[in-house]
Amino acid sequence: MALKDLSQGIKISISRSITTSFESYMKNINWDEDKFNLQSFVGEWREYINNHASWYSQVGDEIKADPAFHGELAEKINEVINKILSDKPTQAQMDEITTLQEELGEEYDYSCKLEAKYVLEKLKSELKKKQNN
């Protein structure tokens, strides 16, 4: 049995687990591409699927042990990460980031929608700290 043979729900859950883990991993390294390490990310993803992903318990042990399945998962991880990184920020995100950066006198680079989300959270947190001082 291959990845393509799994139910649509499980395939969607696999993609979602990769996205969730990638977002968490990138946040932990402050979206610093120089700190990105694929093995570290995959380790975090494995921990996530073992502890939090319902799909993992729905896949049989013989499938999990199949090297071909692991190869397909590696391809899926690359596919999902490439999709995330090529998903451009929305105009609303860019406008809000511009406004917050001007207000705070700071500038952050971002290139995808998920990174823009991270930058917005960071800027909003900084603005809140500034307002509370």
Side-chain angles (χ1 to χ4, degrees):
M1 182 180 238
L3 182 62
K4 65 178 173 51
D5 298 322
L6 296 173
S7 75
Q8 187 64 21
I10 289 177
K11 289 189 280 189
I12 289 169
S13 293
I14 290 171
S15 294
R16 194 175 303 124
S17 71
I18 296 166
T19 300
T20 300
S21 297
F22 185 75
E23 180 176 12
S24 174
Y25 177 79
M26 292 306 289
K27 186 175 183 178
N28 288 339
I29 63 168
N30 296 310
W31 274 87
D32 183 344
E33 290 88 358
D34 293 335
K35 291 182 180 176
F36 182 81
N37 179 290
L38 186 59
Q39 283 81 15
S40 294
F41 164 68
V42 170
E44 282 195 27
W45 177 67
R46 279 197 185 113
E47 183 178 319
Y48 177 84
I49 64 174
N50 281 315
N51 297 314
H52 305 290
S54 61
W55 70 264
Y56 195 67
S57 62
Q58 297 172 22
V59 175
D61 289 339
E62 71 282 352
I63 296 169
K64 291 177 193 172
D66 186 347
F69 181 68
H70 286 273
E72 291 174 333
L73 282 177
E75 287 177 25
K76 187 69 174 173
I77 288 170
N78 286 332
E79 176 187 309
V80 170
I81 290 173
N82 285 334
K83 184 177 179 192
I84 290 168
L85 296 177
S86 64
D87 191 12
K88 298 294 178 208
T90 65
Q91 189 61 50
Q93 283 178 312
M94 292 187 293
D95 292 345
E96 190 174 4
I97 287 171
T98 299
T99 300
L100 289 168
Q101 286 184 147
E102 288 172 359
E103 193 169 338
L104 289 164
E106 297 189 22
E107 193 169 321
Y108 292 95
D109 292 327
Y110 57 96
S111 59
C112 68
K113 192 176 190 176
L114 203 56
E115 186 176 15
K117 177 183 172 189
Y118 166 78
V119 169
L120 277 170
E121 289 171 0
K122 187 173 178 102
L123 288 167
K124 287 176 183 178
S125 174
E126 288 180 24
L127 182 61
K128 193 173 184 179
K129 284 180 195 170
K130 186 178 178 182
Q131 291 171 339
N132 289 335
N133 287 338

